[in-house]
Amino acid sequence: MNTFGLAESVSSWYGATVMIIIGGMSVYLFALIILRAIFFRKISVDSTKLLNDTQHAILTEDSKKLEELTHARATDAPIRIIIANAITNQHLQDSELAELLKVTRKRQKARLEKGLSEFGTLSTIAPFVGLLGTVLGIVESFHNLAQSGTAGPNVVGSGVAAALWATAAGLCVAIPAVVAYNIFGSKIKELTLEMETVATELVLLIKVNRNHTNNHTDNQGRSKMAVAR
């Protein structure tokens, strides 16, 4: 079976070292892809439905539903955590509540971006590690050519073919890393925009509900004063 110099690519100490490093990168990369894919699947929620439920609970003063919405764990979806913080702190002024939710969004964004830099690092480093193995292999091939004293493509052809496997291995790590970086990066942008939208709607909802409650209280007070007269 023709392996096109694959076996020869790990026959030297530097070739084996480069392949082991790239192999370790590939294992780490695919483990990270699986973990992040599971993470994003777990935090996937229907934000529209969740926001509608929150709106109904606030306007109807459904204490049971409100208590349920405030019980958010650190591992829950960012949208749930934002809603829980908004309901828990709805007594704050509008500007204070907006600032609090802004801080919450920043923390959740950092949580979403966990592991993203690793994809960028692997996509950048892996080709260079592979190129290093290729350069060392070509240097050895030309050194053997000089030592043998003979010329011709057959003398260095097999050595160069073996050396190029290191670059190919590096690209096999870099390409999935770039794809994963773009996919997860797009998902993070989508969730970040969704968090901003939900936070803004929550502040407006709480403001409207507060004004409605105050107006209702004022009207009741005026009615009592009128009756007393």
Side-chain angles (χ1 to χ4, degrees), residues 81-102:
I81 294 175
I82 289 174
I83 289 175
N85 281 353
I87 295 174
T88 303
N89 299 280
Q90 59 181 313
H91 60 279
L92 298 176
Q93 296 297 323
D94 298 335
S95 59
E96 295 174 340
L97 181 60
E99 192 65 25
L100 175 63
L101 295 183
K102 183 178 179 181

Side-chain angles (χ1 to χ4, degrees), residues 20-180:
I20 290 173
I21 293 173
I22 293 177
M25 287 182 177
S26 65
V27 172
Y28 178 76
L29 171 65
F30 287 104
L32 186 60
I33 289 174
I34 292 172
L35 288 175
R36 296 314 288 171
I38 293 173
F39 168 76
F40 282 107
R41 184 172 182 179
K42 285 177 65 177
I43 65 170
S44 178
V45 294
D46 187 346
S47 60
T48 303
K49 181 179 182 303
L50 197 57
L51 193 59
N52 289 337
D53 291 343
T54 304
Q55 179 178 0
H56 182 267
I58 290 176
L59 296 179
T60 60
E61 298 181 357
D62 187 344
S63 58
K64 182 178 180 181
K65 186 63 177 180
L66 288 173
E67 184 179 358
E68 179 184 336
L69 290 169
T70 56
H71 288 168
R73 299 170 298 177
T75 56
D76 283 343
I79 301 297
R80 288 186 178 276
I81 294 175
I82 289 174
I83 289 175
N85 281 353
I87 295 174
T88 303
N89 299 280
Q90 59 181 313
H91 60 279
L92 298 176
Q93 296 297 323
D94 298 335
S95 59
E96 295 174 340
L97 181 60
E99 192 65 25
L100 175 63
L101 295 183
K102 183 178 179 181
V103 173
T104 304
R105 293 201 314 269
K106 287 182 178 180
R107 289 177 176 173
Q108 293 305 310
K109 185 179 179 182
R111 180 181 165 211
L112 294 174
E113 291 176 343
K114 185 178 180 181
L116 190 64
S117 61
E118 280 84 341
F119 290 122
T121 301
L122 289 173
S123 65
T124 303
I125 292 179
F128 287 105
V129 174
L131 183 61
L132 175 63
T134 297
V135 170
L136 292 175
I138 292 175
V139 168
E140 184 184 31
S141 296
F142 280 101
H143 176 72
N144 294 336
L145 175 63
Q147 292 292 327
S148 63
T150 58
N154 294 332
V155 178
V156 295
S158 61
V160 172
L164 288 173
W165 274 107
T167 298
L171 292 174
C172 287
V173 174
I175 292 172
V178 171
V179 173

